[in-house]
Amino acid sequence: MTSFLYTAAKEKIISLIESNEISMDQRLPSERALAQKLGFTRMTIKKALNSLVDDHVLIRHPGDGTYLLHGKHSGRIDAGDDAPWSLTQTIKIKGGVPNSEIKSFKLVYDVPMLTKIFPDFTEFYELIRIRKFDDIVFSIQKAYIPFRLFEDAHRYDFSKISLYDYLSYKNMRPALFHRKIRTCPVTSDSLFKNFNVGPSKLVLSVEYLGYTKPDCLVEYTQSYFDSNQVDFKVEIPYSFK
Amino acid sequence: MTSFLYTAAKEKIISLIESNEISMDQRLPSERALAQKLGFTRMTIKKALNSLVDDHVLIRHPGDGTYLLHGKHSGRIDAGDDAPWSLTQTIKIKGGVPNSEIKSFKLVYDVPMLTKIFPDFTEFYELIRIRKFDDIVFSIQKAYIPFRLFEDAHRYDFSKISLYDYLSYKNMRPALFHRKIRTCPVTSDSLFKNFNVGPSKLVLSVEYLGYTKPDCLVEYTQSYFDSNQVDFKVEIPYSFK
DNA sequence: TAGTGGTCTAGACCACAGC
DNA sequence: CTGTGGTCTAGACCACTAA
């Protein structure tokens, strides 16, 4: 979908990792070695490797080498809607079994909540997904994107391709996020039956508004997380006067 | 402290921003213009600018330009111990008034909790800080670093220089983190008087273990956050078999 | 000492946004 | 069409790590 050399290099490096040619806790080949082996410039390989560092797949030490980010203290995957790398891919490389199940994908009209959020649109695609890590449901997500901006969305299989890869392909990948987090009790909504928690348990609710620019809202997502399965990074929200 | 060209470029660009030569919602000069104006290569300027993007200071749009990351939906600062950029600097650029007050900085010995965490060390520097954003206390932090690794730490003023800049300078900046998050009631600890919350309120407690490598622990921090003031990014922790 | 990743240069071409 | 940022090359030097 993207057609940069460093993306191609990235995929070849991932293949190396997945095919177990690099064993755990072992150094990856050096930038120079990979450049020669895979047929790219050193700078292109560097870009690919550092991109995998951003994705929490690798870790690099100057003067030493590049390593798989493994071990007890390294396991941490961004699970938010603004995660940099396809969650499915990341889980796979980490040795987990990913499983994204689509519960529903359809057009919805005249939903008051949505018209309030998106004053300029009336029709939306609604994508409801169950996300698993090693067969444990950690998240239920309802994503909404305006039909007018993504008329061809029905042609893609979002159990296979990440929603964000699709938005990137349409040059609509959100860069700014407005988030609201709160805890809420498990409701009787049948969706929550997927969570392995009793009705008295608290579930974490996160709302994402994704903007490509400050004035260009392209996505609204409601995510519910099993608070036993996820963790958080602390941030300070503020509103600029 | 760091002496790379792109760091120098970064600081000059920050000066430009702070001196209001770039007004809000206005484009920054192009990479090529900055390169000529500041006397660096375009690639060096690019590195500086993209580094400021990582720090949530700027946002860039291909084919368009580079902008200050402002506006209602853009305000979000990483407040964790693993935040990429000095919190003080970021708050300042965002138009806020930073205020990091040092409550205590001293050597501590034979603390059972610490010897359990750091089996190889017995003496530690303890740094207790109150962190504010626009005069509102959002966090209280107790940081511990082994004396043997940072013997000259007493020579630095951590109200002016970020602890992480210091660790970077010693080539000991943590890259891996082990975090534990929980909510706890406000205790009678006099430190909590700094929070503007009643005794029945819940405070967010986050523990960070910072490693330079999977086997090299260099920092332990206990942070307490006013849950009214901070927000979170969702992640999936996992332990590799 | 040999090898690593990080930085840096001075060019080049490209896709894209705005006018 | 002009200007933007992104990618890419083919070199170079540096500081650091580990043997």
Side-chain angles (χ1 to χ4, degrees):
Chain A
M1 217 129 109
T2 53
S3 62
F4 298 121
L5 286 184
Y6 82 89
T7 309
K10 204 167 156 178
E11 274 160 16
K12 285 197 179 180
I13 293 166
I14 289 171
S15 299
L16 277 183
I17 296 169
E18 286 181 338
S19 67
N20 287 329
E21 287 193 39
I22 290 109
S23 64
M24 196 159 67
D25 293 334
Q26 193 189 330
R27 272 219 305 273
L28 265 74
S30 73
E31 292 182 345
R32 293 164 176 86
L34 283 171
Q36 191 170 20
K37 186 175 181 180
L38 303 180
F40 299 95
T41 306
R42 191 190 151 204
M43 292 303 287
T44 302
I45 293 292
K46 180 193 289 295
K47 186 126 207 244
L49 290 172
N50 284 334
S51 171
L52 286 167
V53 169
D54 291 341
D55 297 339
H56 303 118
V57 173
L58 302 177
I59 181 169
R60 322 189 72 189
H61 299 293
D64 184 1
T66 302
Y67 298 83
L68 271 179
L69 189 50
H70 270 156
K72 202 169 88 189
H73 302 296
S74 66
R76 194 153 291 261
I77 301 174
D78 283 357
D81 259 29
D82 51 341
W85 180 260
S86 153
L87 193 54
T88 305
Q89 194 93 20
T90 306
I91 291 176
K92 227 166 77 186
I93 290 175
K94 294 291 189 181
V97 179
N99 210 329
S100 190
E101 187 186 325
I102 294 190
K103 275 291 174 189
S104 158
F105 183 44
K106 63 182 184 201
L107 275 172
V108 295
Y109 308 84
D110 297 323
V111 181
M113 171 198 71
L114 292 177
T115 49
K116 198 172 156 193
I117 294 170
F118 296 89
D120 302 337
F121 302 99
T122 54
E123 304 163 87
F124 304 88
Y125 279 115
E126 179 191 62
L127 174 63
I128 301 182
R129 284 182 295 179
I130 312 288
R131 289 184 166 279
K132 299 181 191 178
F133 183 105
D134 282 350
D135 284 330
I136 295 169
V137 175
F138 65 85
S139 170
I140 298 169
Q141 299 192 324
K142 297 188 195 177
Y144 298 92
I145 54 178
F147 172 70
R148 297 307 297 259
L149 297 179
F150 306 101
E151 300 196 348
D152 65 345
H154 64 279
R155 291 210 245 107
Y156 295 86
D157 177 0
F158 292 111
S159 68
K160 288 190 181 125
I161 161 187
S162 116
L163 181 59
Y164 269 43
D165 280 348
Y166 169 70
L167 298 185
S168 298
Y169 170 64
K170 305 292 277 184
N171 273 311
M172 290 275 190
R173 195 196 207 285
L176 307 174
F177 293 92
H178 188 62
R179 268 163 288 203
K180 198 177 291 179
I181 197 167
R182 63 177 203 277
T183 52
C184 63
V186 172
T187 70
S188 57
D189 190 325
S190 66
L191 262 184
F192 287 121
K193 286 183 196 144
N194 295 283
F195 276 145
N196 191 20
V197 294
S200 62
K201 262 296 187 51
L202 286 182
V203 158
L204 210 87
S205 155
V206 184
E207 287 176 290
Y208 296 88
L209 299 178
Y211 299 79
T212 54
K213 300 190 180 187
D215 55 350
C216 186
L217 179 62
V218 296
E219 178 221 9
Y220 170 67
T221 300
Q222 286 181 339
S223 294
Y224 300 94
F225 294 95
D226 180 345
S227 47
N228 297 325
Q229 303 299 332
V230 298
D231 201 352
F232 317 97
K233 201 169 197 170
V234 182
E235 299 182 334
I236 311 174
Y238 70 92
S239 49
F240 204 76
K241 41 265 190 176
Chain B
M1 214 130 112
T2 53
S3 62
F4 297 120
L5 286 184
Y6 82 89
T7 309
K10 203 168 156 176
E11 275 159 16
K12 285 197 178 179
I13 294 166
I14 289 171
S15 299
L16 277 183
I17 296 170
E18 286 181 337
S19 68
N20 287 330
E21 288 193 38
I22 290 108
S23 65
M24 196 159 66
D25 292 335
Q26 193 188 330
R27 270 218 307 270
L28 266 73
S30 73
E31 293 182 346
R32 292 162 177 88
L34 283 171
Q36 191 171 18
K37 184 175 183 180
L38 304 180
F40 298 95
T41 305
R42 190 191 152 203
M43 291 303 287
T44 303
I45 294 291
K46 181 193 289 294
K47 187 129 207 244
L49 290 173
N50 284 335
S51 171
L52 287 167
V53 170
D54 291 342
D55 299 339
H56 303 118
V57 173
L58 302 178
I59 181 168
R60 321 189 71 189
H61 298 292
D64 184 0
T66 302
Y67 299 82
L68 271 178
L69 188 49
H70 272 155
K72 200 169 92 189
H73 303 296
S74 67
R76 192 152 291 260
I77 302 175
D78 283 357
D81 259 30
D82 51 343
W85 178 260
S86 153
L87 192 54
T88 304
Q89 195 92 22
T90 306
I91 291 176
K92 228 167 75 187
I93 292 175
K94 294 291 187 180
V97 179
N99 210 330
S100 189
E101 186 186 327
I102 294 191
K103 275 292 174 188
S104 158
F105 183 44
K106 64 181 183 198
L107 276 172
V108 295
Y109 308 84
D110 297 324
V111 180
M113 172 199 68
L114 292 176
T115 50
K116 198 173 154 195
I117 293 170
F118 294 90
D120 302 337
F121 303 99
T122 54
E123 303 164 89
F124 304 88
Y125 279 115
E126 180 193 65
L127 174 63
I128 301 181
R129 285 183 294 181
I130 312 288
R131 289 183 165 281
K132 301 180 191 176
F133 183 104
D134 280 350
D135 284 329
I136 294 169
V137 175
F138 65 85
S139 168
I140 297 168
Q141 298 192 323
K142 296 187 195 179
Y144 298 92
I145 54 179
F147 172 70
R148 298 304 300 260
L149 296 178
F150 306 100
E151 301 196 349
D152 66 343
H154 65 279
R155 291 209 247 108
Y156 294 85
D157 177 0
F158 292 109
S159 68
K160 287 190 180 128
I161 162 188
S162 119
L163 181 60
Y164 268 44
D165 281 347
Y166 169 71
L167 299 185
S168 298
Y169 171 64
K170 306 293 275 183
N171 273 310
M172 291 275 189
R173 195 194 207 287
L176 307 176
F177 293 90
H178 188 60
R179 268 163 287 198
K180 199 178 288 179
I181 197 166
R182 62 178 203 278
T183 52
C184 63
V186 172
T187 70
S188 56
D189 189 325
S190 66
L191 262 184
F192 287 119
K193 285 181 196 147
N194 294 283
F195 277 144
N196 191 20
V197 295
S200 61
K201 262 296 186 54
L202 285 183
V203 157
L204 209 87
S205 155
V206 184
E207 288 176 290
Y208 295 88
L209 299 178
Y211 299 78
T212 55
K213 299 189 181 188
D215 55 350
C216 187
L217 178 64
V218 297
E219 178 221 11
Y220 170 67
T221 300
Q222 288 180 339
S223 294
Y224 300 93
F225 294 94
D226 180 345
S227 48
N228 297 325
Q229 303 300 331
V230 298
D231 201 351
F232 317 97
K233 200 170 197 169
V234 183
E235 300 183 333
I236 310 173
Y238 70 92
S239 49
F240 205 75
K241 40 266 187 179

